[in-house]
Amino acid sequence: MIDDTSIINFNVEVLRSLFQDIPCTWENYESIQSFVADNFTQYLIRTRLFQGWLGEKLKQNSSLPTRICSGVEKAIQYYLSGAHSDAYLQLESLLPFIDSSLQNLCVDSSPTGLAFGFRGRVVKDDNFIPSRAEMFHIPFEKRHLVREQRYGAQGVPAIYLGSSIYDCYLELDRPPIEDFFVSYFCFSQNKSGEYDPNNIRLIDLTAPKSDSARAGLLVYYVLKDEPKYIEMLEKLYHQIILWPLMKTCSLIRKYPAAPFQQEYIIPSLLFQLCVRRSNIMGIKYDTTKKINLNRHIYSYAMQNIAIPAHNIAEKGHCSFLSSSLLLTEPLAVKNTTIRNDIKSTKGFTNHGLPILSDMDSSSADYEIIRTFDSLTMVFNNMIDEMISDGNTDLIKPLSGWRED
C-alpha cells in the first residue's frame, strides 16, 4: 500500500531531523557517553513518530532500536574502561539483530558509480615519484607504520578511497598541490572487464538525504509503483535501524591532535567485524571533514571507502585486493593543465566520475576544484581507452590480470 502525500511529507521531515546533522560534533558535552545517551534518547522518541508503512514496520520491531542503542552504549563503556575485547564482543552480539540491515545496505560494485574511488598521497621529496604499489595499502612487512584511523584495526593495512579528488584532498588536510599525487581505483575481476558483485560488497553507512527520499517516494506515488515504493521504504527502514551506528561512526574529532580519539571507538570495532567477515569487502561512509561546498548537494562526492586487507601474509600486499582492485599510475596534481572542455551531466562524467566545478562557482575552493576536475577528466579518458579501445595498460590490477 502506498501512503498518501501527507504521510510521505511528514515522514521525510522526521527523517530529516534524524540525519541532517550527520556528521556532527559533541563539543557541548562533557563526555562522549553523555552525548551518546542524550542523542539515543532523542532517536528513540523520533522512531515512534513515523506514520504509515514505516510507522507500522518500526512498531512491529519496536524493541530493536532500544536493543541496538543499549549495545552500542555498552560497547563504548567497555572500551573506555579498558575492556577492549568485551567492547568488541558486545558489538558482535548485535549482529543477529542488525545483520539483515547491514546486508540490505550492502552495495555491490558495478562499472560506474560506487565501483570507483580515488586515492591521494602526499610526497614531499621532489625527486620521488610513487609507484602503483606505493599507492596501495602499506605492505605487511611494514605494518608497524599502520596508524590509528577512524575505520581501522591495529596492525591491519587498509586502502582508503575518496569518491572525488577533492574529497581525498580534504582527508589529507589540504596538502600543498605540489606534493599531491592521485591514483584512480576501480573494482574488477578479469581482463575482459567482467564484474563480480558477489565478491565485492561494501556496507553503506552514508546517511540518507531527505530531499532525495522525498523526490523518490513522490515519483513512485505518482506512478503508483508500489513495489518500488516499498523497496525504497525498506531501505529507509534499515537506515533508521542503523542510525545509532551511523551517528557514532560520524563524530567529528573534538581533540584532533590527541593521541587517543574517542570518536573512533565504534567505527574501529565495526571495521574489525568487517575484517572477520569474508563476504564484506569494506565500509562506505560520509567524510567528517569541513568542506567549502554545500554538504547536502555535494554529498555524492564527499564519501569514503575503507577496505581492509583480507588475505594476510608476512610480506607484500593482500592477494585478494591486489587482484580485485584496478588502479592507475599516480599522477601529480601540479602537472595538471586546466581544461576548458570538461564534460559532465548533472555533476558526473559519462563514466560516473564526479565533476564539482560546474555545480557551484562561488566556492572558496573553486579554482582548486577546477584543477581536480581537469585531472578527473584525465582519468575519465583512461576509462574510455580501457572500455572502448581495450587498452588494459592504463588501469590494471597490482598483481596482474586474472584470465578467468
Side-chain angles (χ1 to χ4, degrees), residues 69-296:
C69 287
S70 176
V72 172
E73 285 190 88
K74 287 179 181 177
I76 292 174
Q77 189 59 51
Y78 279 135
Y79 198 97
L80 292 176
S81 300
H84 294 181
S85 60
D86 289 338
Y88 175 84
L89 292 173
Q90 178 61 51
L91 198 64
E92 187 179 48
S93 72
L94 292 178
L95 274 180
F97 307 102
I98 64 175
D99 193 58
S100 63
S101 293
L102 291 174
Q103 294 296 332
N104 182 274
L105 297 182
C106 262
V107 291
D108 296 333
S109 69
S110 59
T112 57
L114 297 176
F116 72 88
F118 298 93
R119 182 161 169 81
R121 177 168 177 173
V122 179
V123 178
K124 296 186 179 296
D125 186 347
D126 292 340
N127 298 317
F128 177 74
I129 299 177
S131 64
R132 290 193 315 127
E134 287 160 331
M135 297 299 289
F136 219 67
H137 68 67
I138 293 173
F140 293 120
E141 66 270 21
K142 295 183 178 180
R143 62 171 71 237
H144 57 279
L145 298 176
V146 176
R147 59 186 178 86
E148 183 184 31
Q149 298 275 8
R150 181 176 297 272
Y151 289 92
Q154 287 187 338
V156 178
I159 296 175
Y160 298 91
L161 305 176
S163 56
S164 67
I165 299 176
Y166 182 58
D167 182 26
C168 295
Y169 172 71
L170 297 179
E171 290 292 337
L172 292 171
D173 294 324
R174 298 174 174 270
I177 293 301
E178 58 269 20
D179 300 335
F180 190 26
F181 286 78
V182 179
S183 282
Y184 166 83
F185 281 68
C186 63
F187 306 154
S188 184
Q189 289 295 297
N190 60 33
K191 199 169 184 176
S192 301
E194 297 173 358
Y195 290 76
D196 185 356
N198 293 318
N199 276 344
I200 303 174
R201 310 190 74 201
L202 306 168
I203 295 175
D204 187 355
L205 289 183
T206 59
K209 306 304 177 284
S210 55
D211 290 341
S212 298
R214 186 197 309 274
L217 291 172
L218 288 176
V219 165
Y220 298 137
Y221 170 83
V222 171
L223 295 177
K224 304 301 180 186
D225 190 337
E226 185 171 344
K228 287 292 186 181
Y229 181 84
I230 298 301
E231 181 182 340
M232 189 169 187
L233 286 181
E234 282 277 5
K235 182 175 181 179
L236 290 174
Y237 164 76
H238 290 296
Q239 289 172 319
I240 293 167
I241 290 298
L242 291 181
W243 182 93
L245 286 177
M246 291 184 184
K247 188 76 171 183
T248 51
C249 285
S250 302
L251 299 179
I252 297 171
R253 292 179 298 170
K254 190 173 185 177
Y255 307 105
F260 170 57
Q261 301 295 330
Q262 301 177 70
E263 300 84 357
Y264 291 1
I265 293 175
I266 296 302
S268 65
L269 292 174
L270 187 62
F271 193 73
Q272 291 176 51
L273 287 176
C274 176
V275 170
R276 298 189 182 194
R277 303 191 69 184
S278 59
N279 63 329
I280 303 297
M281 188 177 189
I283 299 174
K284 183 170 177 281
Y285 57 100
D286 293 310
T287 182
T288 60
K289 296 292 184 178
K290 180 181 178 180
I291 62 177
N292 288 326
L293 296 167
N294 185 309
R295 181 177 289 273
H296 295 287

